[in-house]
Amino acid sequence: MKIYQIDSSARKDGSTSRALAKKVLQKIKKPKDEVIYRDLNEEMVFVTGLTESGMNIDEKDQNENHKKMFKLSDQLVKELKESDVIIISAPIYNYGPPATLKAWSDLAARVGETFRFKPNGRREGLLKNKRAYLVITSGGTKLNSNEDFLTPWLKYILNFFGIEKIDIICADQMALNYEKSIKDAEKQIENIS
Ligand SMILES: Cc1cc2nc3c(=O)[nH]c(=O)nc-3n(C[C@H](O)[C@H](O)[C@H](O)COP(=O)(O)O)c2cc1C
C-alpha cells in the first residue's frame, strides 16, 4: 500500500495538525507500506492565465508560468494517482483552507487525470478505490459549523476527484480547551480500524 501524506499548516515547529497526521500515519502504516510525503509549504504555485477548469492547455500554447504550473501539477497528480491512502492535515485559516491547500487542489484538478467530463457535461472523478483521512484543527471554529468552510470544501473536492471513503480526525476549538481537543483527536486516531 502507498500512503500519501500531505501537510498544509504554515507552522512548521509545534504544529498540531502535522503532529496528529503523524500519529494517523503511525496508526495505519503497515511495515511494508511506502510513504510519499508532501509539505505544501515547501513548494507551491498558484494557477494563473487560465480560462477554464481542468488545466486544459496545449503544450504549444503554454507560457513560462504555465510550464511551472504544469511541472508541479504533473508531480502532484502522479503522487495522488499512485497512492492508496491519503492523509491530509489542515488547520482552518480564516474560516477556510490554507491558501496552499486551495492551490494544491487547483493543480490537482486535471481533466483526463483526476476527473473527466461525461457526455452529459457533468464531471466524474477518476481516482477510484482510494481512501482519505483528514486531520482538521482549529482555534475557535467548531468543525462542520456554519463558519467551517474548510471541512465541507475539502470533502467535496476529494469527492470530485472520485475519493469517497473519507474519515475525519479533528482537534477543533483548541483555543477553548486545548487538552480536551487533543485528547478527543487522539481517541479518534486510536479508533481508526
Ligand atoms: C492565518 C490564520 C488564520 C486562522 N484562522 C482561524 C479561523 O478562522 N478559525 C479558527 O478556529 N482558527 C483559526 N486559526 C487558528 C488555527 O486554525 C489553529 O492555530 C491551527 O488549527 C493550529 O494548527 P497548526 O498548529 O497545525 O498550525 C487561524 C490561524 C492562522 C495562522
Side-chain angles (χ1 to χ4, degrees), residues 39-88:
D39 183 344
L40 299 184
N41 277 268
E42 290 291 323
E43 186 185 12
M44 191 40 69
V45 178
F46 294 95
V47 293
T48 54
L50 292 178
T51 51
E52 56 183 89
S53 72
M55 292 186 54
N56 197 12
I57 311 173
D58 265 7
E59 217 169 323
K60 65 173 175 35
D61 299 323
Q62 290 175 18
N63 61 29
E64 281 313 303
N65 205 42
H66 289 138
K67 286 197 173 89
K68 260 191 231 157
M69 279 160 42
F70 275 87
K71 188 165 176 253
L72 182 56
S73 171
D74 285 348
Q75 185 59 32
L76 295 175
V77 167
K78 181 171 173 281
E79 290 167 357
L80 255 182
K81 285 171 85 171
E82 279 177 2
S83 63
D84 304 293
V85 179
I86 300 145
I87 303 170
I88 302 178

Short mmCIF file of all heavy atoms in Angstrom, two decimals, residues 39-88:
data_model
loop_
_atom_site.label_atom_id
_atom_site.label_comp_id
_atom_site.label_asym_id
_atom_site.label_seq_id
_atom_site.Cartn_x
_atom_site.Cartn_y
_atom_site.Cartn_z
N ASP A 39 4.97 18.45 1.75
CA ASP A 39 4.70 19.61 2.58
C ASP A 39 4.33 20.75 1.65
O ASP A 39 5.18 21.23 0.88
CB ASP A 39 5.97 19.94 3.39
CG ASP A 39 5.75 21.09 4.35
OD1 ASP A 39 4.74 21.82 4.19
OD2 ASP A 39 6.59 21.26 5.25
N LEU A 40 3.09 21.18 1.70
CA LEU A 40 2.63 22.19 0.74
C LEU A 40 3.28 23.55 0.96
O LEU A 40 3.17 24.44 0.13
CB LEU A 40 1.10 22.32 0.78
CG LEU A 40 0.31 21.05 0.42
CD1 LEU A 40 -1.19 21.34 0.40
CD2 LEU A 40 0.74 20.47 -0.91
N ASN A 41 3.97 23.69 2.11
CA ASN A 41 4.68 24.95 2.36
C ASN A 41 6.06 24.99 1.73
O ASN A 41 6.70 26.03 1.70
CB ASN A 41 4.80 25.19 3.86
CG ASN A 41 3.53 25.82 4.38
OD1 ASN A 41 3.43 27.03 4.44
ND2 ASN A 41 2.56 24.99 4.69
N GLU A 42 6.52 23.84 1.26
CA GLU A 42 7.87 23.78 0.68
C GLU A 42 7.89 24.31 -0.75
O GLU A 42 8.83 24.95 -1.18
CB GLU A 42 8.37 22.34 0.69
CG GLU A 42 8.68 21.79 2.07
CD GLU A 42 9.90 22.44 2.70
OE1 GLU A 42 10.85 22.73 1.96
OE2 GLU A 42 9.87 22.66 3.92
N GLU A 43 6.83 23.97 -1.48
CA GLU A 43 6.81 24.32 -2.91
C GLU A 43 5.35 24.49 -3.32
O GLU A 43 4.54 23.59 -3.11
CB GLU A 43 7.43 23.15 -3.71
CG GLU A 43 7.59 23.42 -5.17
CD GLU A 43 8.09 22.18 -5.92
OE1 GLU A 43 8.11 21.08 -5.36
OE2 GLU A 43 8.44 22.35 -7.10
N MET A 44 5.00 25.64 -3.87
CA MET A 44 3.63 25.82 -4.34
C MET A 44 3.60 26.85 -5.46
O MET A 44 4.45 27.74 -5.53
CB MET A 44 2.73 26.26 -3.17
CG MET A 44 1.25 26.23 -3.49
SD MET A 44 0.69 24.82 -4.49
CE MET A 44 0.86 23.43 -3.39
N VAL A 45 2.63 26.68 -6.33
CA VAL A 45 2.44 27.61 -7.44
C VAL A 45 0.94 27.89 -7.49
O VAL A 45 0.14 26.97 -7.32
CB VAL A 45 2.87 26.95 -8.78
CG1 VAL A 45 2.63 27.89 -9.94
CG2 VAL A 45 4.32 26.51 -8.74
N PHE A 46 0.58 29.13 -7.70
CA PHE A 46 -0.85 29.45 -7.82
C PHE A 46 -1.22 29.48 -9.30
O PHE A 46 -0.43 29.95 -10.13
CB PHE A 46 -1.16 30.78 -7.14
CG PHE A 46 -0.97 30.70 -5.66
CD1 PHE A 46 0.22 31.10 -5.07
CD2 PHE A 46 -1.97 30.19 -4.84
CE1 PHE A 46 0.41 30.98 -3.70
CE2 PHE A 46 -1.79 30.07 -3.46
CZ PHE A 46 -0.58 30.48 -2.90
N VAL A 47 -2.41 28.98 -9.62
CA VAL A 47 -2.79 28.94 -11.03
C VAL A 47 -3.12 30.35 -11.53
O VAL A 47 -3.85 31.10 -10.88
CB VAL A 47 -3.97 27.97 -11.32
CG1 VAL A 47 -3.59 26.53 -11.09
CG2 VAL A 47 -5.20 28.32 -10.52
N THR A 48 -2.55 30.67 -12.68
CA THR A 48 -2.84 31.96 -13.32
C THR A 48 -2.90 31.72 -14.83
O THR A 48 -2.41 30.70 -15.33
CB THR A 48 -1.72 33.01 -13.07
OG1 THR A 48 -0.48 32.45 -13.49
CG2 THR A 48 -1.63 33.44 -11.62
N GLY A 49 -3.51 32.64 -15.54
CA GLY A 49 -3.54 32.56 -17.00
C GLY A 49 -4.36 31.40 -17.51
O GLY A 49 -4.02 30.77 -18.51
N LEU A 50 -5.47 31.11 -16.80
CA LEU A 50 -6.35 30.02 -17.23
C LEU A 50 -7.72 30.59 -17.56
O LEU A 50 -8.14 31.59 -16.98
CB LEU A 50 -6.51 29.00 -16.11
CG LEU A 50 -5.30 28.17 -15.72
CD1 LEU A 50 -5.66 27.24 -14.57
CD2 LEU A 50 -4.81 27.34 -16.89
N THR A 51 -8.43 29.92 -18.45
CA THR A 51 -9.79 30.39 -18.77
C THR A 51 -10.83 29.31 -18.50
O THR A 51 -12.02 29.57 -18.57
CB THR A 51 -9.89 30.81 -20.25
OG1 THR A 51 -9.39 29.74 -21.05
CG2 THR A 51 -9.10 32.07 -20.54
N GLU A 52 -10.39 28.10 -18.22
CA GLU A 52 -11.36 27.04 -17.92
C GLU A 52 -10.79 26.08 -16.90
O GLU A 52 -9.59 26.11 -16.61
CB GLU A 52 -11.73 26.28 -19.20
CG GLU A 52 -10.53 25.70 -19.92
CD GLU A 52 -10.92 25.01 -21.22
OE1 GLU A 52 -10.94 25.69 -22.27
OE2 GLU A 52 -11.18 23.80 -21.19
N SER A 53 -11.66 25.21 -16.34
CA SER A 53 -11.19 24.28 -15.30
C SER A 53 -10.42 23.13 -15.94
O SER A 53 -10.50 22.89 -17.14
CB SER A 53 -12.37 23.74 -14.50
OG SER A 53 -13.10 22.84 -15.28
N GLY A 54 -9.66 22.43 -15.13
CA GLY A 54 -9.01 21.21 -15.57
C GLY A 54 -7.63 21.39 -16.17
O GLY A 54 -7.00 20.44 -16.61
N MET A 55 -7.12 22.63 -16.23
CA MET A 55 -5.78 22.93 -16.76
C MET A 55 -5.58 22.34 -18.14
O MET A 55 -4.61 21.63 -18.41
CB MET A 55 -4.70 22.44 -15.79
CG MET A 55 -4.68 23.24 -14.52
SD MET A 55 -3.33 22.84 -13.41
CE MET A 55 -1.89 23.04 -14.41
N ASN A 56 -6.52 22.66 -19.01
CA ASN A 56 -6.51 22.07 -20.33
C ASN A 56 -5.85 23.05 -21.33
O ASN A 56 -6.53 23.79 -22.01
CB ASN A 56 -7.97 21.78 -20.72
CG ASN A 56 -8.07 20.83 -21.87
OD1 ASN A 56 -7.06 20.21 -22.25
ND2 ASN A 56 -9.24 20.71 -22.46
N ILE A 57 -4.51 23.05 -21.35
CA ILE A 57 -3.82 23.97 -22.28
C ILE A 57 -2.79 23.16 -23.08
O ILE A 57 -1.95 22.48 -22.49
CB ILE A 57 -3.02 25.07 -21.53
CG1 ILE A 57 -3.91 25.75 -20.47
CG2 ILE A 57 -2.48 26.12 -22.50
CD1 ILE A 57 -3.14 26.72 -19.61
N ASP A 58 -2.86 23.27 -24.38
CA ASP A 58 -1.89 22.58 -25.24
C ASP A 58 -0.48 23.04 -24.89
O ASP A 58 -0.27 24.22 -24.60
CB ASP A 58 -2.14 22.97 -26.70
CG ASP A 58 -3.03 21.95 -27.38
OD1 ASP A 58 -3.52 21.05 -26.68
OD2 ASP A 58 -3.23 22.08 -28.61
N GLU A 59 0.48 22.10 -25.00
CA GLU A 59 1.86 22.44 -24.65
C GLU A 59 2.37 23.64 -25.46
O GLU A 59 3.06 24.50 -24.95
CB GLU A 59 2.76 21.22 -24.86
CG GLU A 59 3.82 21.16 -23.79
CD GLU A 59 4.56 19.85 -23.78
OE1 GLU A 59 3.95 18.80 -24.04
OE2 GLU A 59 5.78 19.91 -23.53
N LYS A 60 1.96 23.69 -26.74
CA LYS A 60 2.45 24.78 -27.62
C LYS A 60 1.92 26.16 -27.18
O LYS A 60 2.49 27.19 -27.52
CB LYS A 60 2.14 24.49 -29.09
CG LYS A 60 0.66 24.45 -29.43
CD LYS A 60 0.44 24.32 -30.93
CE LYS A 60 -0.98 24.15 -31.36
NZ LYS A 60 -2.05 24.80 -30.64
N ASP A 61 0.81 26.15 -26.45
CA ASP A 61 0.23 27.42 -26.01
C ASP A 61 0.65 27.81 -24.60
O ASP A 61 0.18 28.81 -24.05
CB ASP A 61 -1.31 27.34 -26.05
CG ASP A 61 -1.82 27.07 -27.45
OD1 ASP A 61 -1.22 27.60 -28.39
OD2 ASP A 61 -2.79 26.31 -27.59
N GLN A 62 1.54 27.00 -24.00
CA GLN A 62 1.92 27.27 -22.61
C GLN A 62 3.05 28.29 -22.51
O GLN A 62 4.07 28.14 -23.18
CB GLN A 62 2.37 25.97 -21.92
CG GLN A 62 1.22 25.01 -21.68
CD GLN A 62 1.68 23.68 -21.12
OE1 GLN A 62 2.78 23.57 -20.59
NE2 GLN A 62 0.85 22.67 -21.24
N ASN A 63 2.84 29.33 -21.69
CA ASN A 63 3.93 30.28 -21.45
C ASN A 63 4.80 29.76 -20.30
O ASN A 63 4.55 28.68 -19.74
CB ASN A 63 3.37 31.69 -21.17
CG ASN A 63 2.48 31.72 -19.93
OD1 ASN A 63 2.67 30.92 -19.01
ND2 ASN A 63 1.52 32.63 -19.90
N GLU A 64 5.80 30.53 -19.91
CA GLU A 64 6.75 30.08 -18.88
C GLU A 64 6.04 29.78 -17.56
O GLU A 64 6.34 28.81 -16.88
CB GLU A 64 7.84 31.14 -18.66
CG GLU A 64 8.93 31.13 -19.73
CD GLU A 64 9.47 29.72 -20.04
OE1 GLU A 64 9.94 29.06 -19.09
OE2 GLU A 64 9.38 29.29 -21.20
N ASN A 65 5.08 30.63 -17.23
CA ASN A 65 4.34 30.44 -15.98
C ASN A 65 3.49 29.17 -16.03
O ASN A 65 3.44 28.40 -15.06
CB ASN A 65 3.47 31.66 -15.70
CG ASN A 65 3.20 31.77 -14.23
OD1 ASN A 65 4.10 31.57 -13.41
ND2 ASN A 65 1.96 32.05 -13.88
N HIS A 66 2.83 28.95 -17.17
CA HIS A 66 2.06 27.71 -17.33
C HIS A 66 2.98 26.50 -17.16
O HIS A 66 2.60 25.51 -16.54
CB HIS A 66 1.42 27.63 -18.72
CG HIS A 66 0.30 28.59 -18.93
ND1 HIS A 66 0.15 29.30 -20.09
CD2 HIS A 66 -0.72 28.96 -18.13
CE1 HIS A 66 -0.92 30.06 -20.00
NE2 HIS A 66 -1.46 29.88 -18.81
N LYS A 67 4.18 26.59 -17.71
CA LYS A 67 5.11 25.43 -17.67
C LYS A 67 5.44 25.10 -16.22
O LYS A 67 5.50 23.93 -15.84
CB LYS A 67 6.37 25.73 -18.47
CG LYS A 67 6.11 25.69 -19.96
CD LYS A 67 7.39 25.57 -20.78
CE LYS A 67 7.07 25.35 -22.24
NZ LYS A 67 6.92 26.56 -23.04
N LYS A 68 5.63 26.15 -15.41
CA LYS A 68 5.92 25.94 -13.98
C LYS A 68 4.73 25.26 -13.30
O LYS A 68 4.88 24.35 -12.50
CB LYS A 68 6.14 27.31 -13.29
CG LYS A 68 7.59 27.65 -13.08
CD LYS A 68 7.69 28.85 -12.16
CE LYS A 68 8.59 29.89 -12.80
NZ LYS A 68 8.37 31.24 -12.32
N MET A 69 3.53 25.74 -13.66
CA MET A 69 2.31 25.16 -13.09
C MET A 69 2.20 23.69 -13.46
O MET A 69 1.90 22.84 -12.62
CB MET A 69 1.07 25.87 -13.65
CG MET A 69 0.74 27.17 -12.97
SD MET A 69 -0.32 28.25 -13.99
CE MET A 69 -1.51 27.15 -14.68
N PHE A 70 2.44 23.39 -14.73
CA PHE A 70 2.28 22.01 -15.19
C PHE A 70 3.33 21.08 -14.59
O PHE A 70 3.05 19.92 -14.31
CB PHE A 70 2.30 21.94 -16.73
CG PHE A 70 0.94 22.19 -17.32
CD1 PHE A 70 0.51 23.48 -17.59
CD2 PHE A 70 0.06 21.15 -17.56
CE1 PHE A 70 -0.75 23.72 -18.10
CE2 PHE A 70 -1.21 21.38 -18.07
CZ PHE A 70 -1.62 22.68 -18.34
N LYS A 71 4.53 21.62 -14.36
CA LYS A 71 5.59 20.78 -13.79
C LYS A 71 5.17 20.28 -12.39
O LYS A 71 5.24 19.09 -12.10
CB LYS A 71 6.89 21.59 -13.72
CG LYS A 71 8.08 20.78 -13.33
CD LYS A 71 9.38 21.51 -13.62
CE LYS A 71 10.55 20.70 -13.12
NZ LYS A 71 11.16 21.23 -11.93
N LEU A 72 4.71 21.22 -11.57
CA LEU A 72 4.29 20.82 -10.22
C LEU A 72 3.00 20.00 -10.28
O LEU A 72 2.85 19.00 -9.59
CB LEU A 72 4.13 22.06 -9.32
CG LEU A 72 3.74 21.77 -7.87
CD1 LEU A 72 4.75 20.83 -7.19
CD2 LEU A 72 3.63 23.07 -7.06
N SER A 73 2.07 20.43 -11.14
CA SER A 73 0.79 19.73 -11.26
C SER A 73 1.02 18.26 -11.67
O SER A 73 0.42 17.35 -11.10
CB SER A 73 -0.08 20.44 -12.28
OG SER A 73 -1.21 19.68 -12.57
N ASP A 74 1.90 18.04 -12.65
CA ASP A 74 2.18 16.66 -13.09
C ASP A 74 2.65 15.80 -11.91
O ASP A 74 2.24 14.66 -11.75
CB ASP A 74 3.30 16.65 -14.15
CG ASP A 74 2.80 17.13 -15.51
OD1 ASP A 74 1.58 17.25 -15.69
OD2 ASP A 74 3.65 17.38 -16.39
N GLN A 75 3.52 16.39 -11.09
CA GLN A 75 4.07 15.65 -9.96
C GLN A 75 2.98 15.36 -8.92
O GLN A 75 2.86 14.24 -8.41
CB GLN A 75 5.22 16.48 -9.33
CG GLN A 75 5.96 15.80 -8.21
CD GLN A 75 6.60 14.48 -8.63
OE1 GLN A 75 7.01 14.32 -9.79
NE2 GLN A 75 6.67 13.53 -7.70
N LEU A 76 2.16 16.38 -8.62
CA LEU A 76 1.10 16.21 -7.62
C LEU A 76 0.07 15.17 -8.08
O LEU A 76 -0.38 14.35 -7.29
CB LEU A 76 0.40 17.55 -7.34
CG LEU A 76 1.26 18.63 -6.71
CD1 LEU A 76 0.49 19.96 -6.61
CD2 LEU A 76 1.75 18.21 -5.32
N VAL A 77 -0.27 15.22 -9.36
CA VAL A 77 -1.26 14.27 -9.90
C VAL A 77 -0.68 12.85 -9.84
O VAL A 77 -1.37 11.90 -9.46
CB VAL A 77 -1.66 14.66 -11.34
CG1 VAL A 77 -2.42 13.55 -12.03
CG2 VAL A 77 -2.49 15.94 -11.32
N LYS A 78 0.60 12.72 -10.16
CA LYS A 78 1.26 11.40 -10.13
C LYS A 78 1.22 10.84 -8.69
O LYS A 78 0.85 9.68 -8.48
CB LYS A 78 2.71 11.57 -10.61
CG LYS A 78 3.51 10.31 -10.66
CD LYS A 78 4.85 10.58 -11.36
CE LYS A 78 5.78 9.40 -11.31
NZ LYS A 78 6.48 9.22 -10.05
N GLU A 79 1.57 11.68 -7.75
CA GLU A 79 1.58 11.24 -6.34
C GLU A 79 0.18 10.79 -5.91
O GLU A 79 0.02 9.78 -5.24
CB GLU A 79 2.07 12.38 -5.44
CG GLU A 79 3.56 12.67 -5.62
CD GLU A 79 4.03 13.99 -4.99
OE1 GLU A 79 3.20 14.74 -4.44
OE2 GLU A 79 5.24 14.27 -5.08
N LEU A 80 -0.82 11.57 -6.32
CA LEU A 80 -2.20 11.23 -5.94
C LEU A 80 -2.62 9.90 -6.58
O LEU A 80 -3.20 9.05 -5.91
CB LEU A 80 -3.14 12.31 -6.47
CG LEU A 80 -3.73 13.32 -5.51
CD1 LEU A 80 -4.67 14.26 -6.26
CD2 LEU A 80 -4.46 12.67 -4.35
N LYS A 81 -2.35 9.77 -7.88
CA LYS A 81 -2.79 8.58 -8.60
C LYS A 81 -2.12 7.32 -8.06
O LYS A 81 -2.73 6.26 -8.02
CB LYS A 81 -2.52 8.73 -10.10
CG LYS A 81 -3.51 9.69 -10.76
CD LYS A 81 -3.13 10.02 -12.17
CE LYS A 81 -3.60 9.01 -13.17
NZ LYS A 81 -3.40 9.47 -14.56
N GLU A 82 -0.86 7.46 -7.67
CA GLU A 82 -0.10 6.29 -7.19
C GLU A 82 -0.53 5.82 -5.81
O GLU A 82 -0.24 4.70 -5.42
CB GLU A 82 1.39 6.64 -7.10
CG GLU A 82 2.10 6.58 -8.43
CD GLU A 82 3.55 7.00 -8.32
OE1 GLU A 82 4.02 7.31 -7.20
OE2 GLU A 82 4.22 7.02 -9.36
N SER A 83 -1.17 6.70 -5.05
CA SER A 83 -1.41 6.37 -3.64
C SER A 83 -2.72 5.60 -3.45
O SER A 83 -3.64 5.69 -4.26
CB SER A 83 -1.45 7.66 -2.82
OG SER A 83 -2.52 8.45 -3.25
N ASP A 84 -2.73 4.82 -2.37
CA ASP A 84 -3.95 4.09 -2.00
C ASP A 84 -4.68 4.82 -0.88
O ASP A 84 -5.90 4.82 -0.82
CB ASP A 84 -3.58 2.68 -1.51
CG ASP A 84 -2.79 1.92 -2.56
OD1 ASP A 84 -3.36 1.61 -3.61
OD2 ASP A 84 -1.57 1.68 -2.35
N VAL A 85 -3.91 5.39 0.02
CA VAL A 85 -4.47 6.10 1.17
C VAL A 85 -3.85 7.48 1.23
O VAL A 85 -2.64 7.64 1.03
CB VAL A 85 -4.16 5.34 2.48
CG1 VAL A 85 -4.73 6.09 3.68
CG2 VAL A 85 -4.71 3.93 2.44
N ILE A 86 -4.68 8.48 1.50
CA ILE A 86 -4.19 9.86 1.54
C ILE A 86 -4.50 10.45 2.91
O ILE A 86 -5.64 10.36 3.38
CB ILE A 86 -4.87 10.70 0.44
CG1 ILE A 86 -4.56 10.09 -0.94
CG2 ILE A 86 -4.42 12.16 0.47
CD1 ILE A 86 -5.68 10.21 -1.91
N ILE A 87 -3.48 11.01 3.53
CA ILE A 87 -3.71 11.72 4.80
C ILE A 87 -3.47 13.20 4.51
O ILE A 87 -2.40 13.57 4.03
CB ILE A 87 -2.70 11.27 5.89
CG1 ILE A 87 -2.78 9.76 6.12
CG2 ILE A 87 -2.94 12.02 7.20
CD1 ILE A 87 -1.65 9.21 7.00
N ILE A 88 -4.47 14.02 4.78
CA ILE A 88 -4.29 15.47 4.57
C ILE A 88 -4.49 16.18 5.90
O ILE A 88 -5.54 16.02 6.53
CB ILE A 88 -5.30 16.04 3.54
CG1 ILE A 88 -5.16 15.31 2.20
CG2 ILE A 88 -5.10 17.54 3.36
CD1 ILE A 88 -6.15 15.79 1.13
#
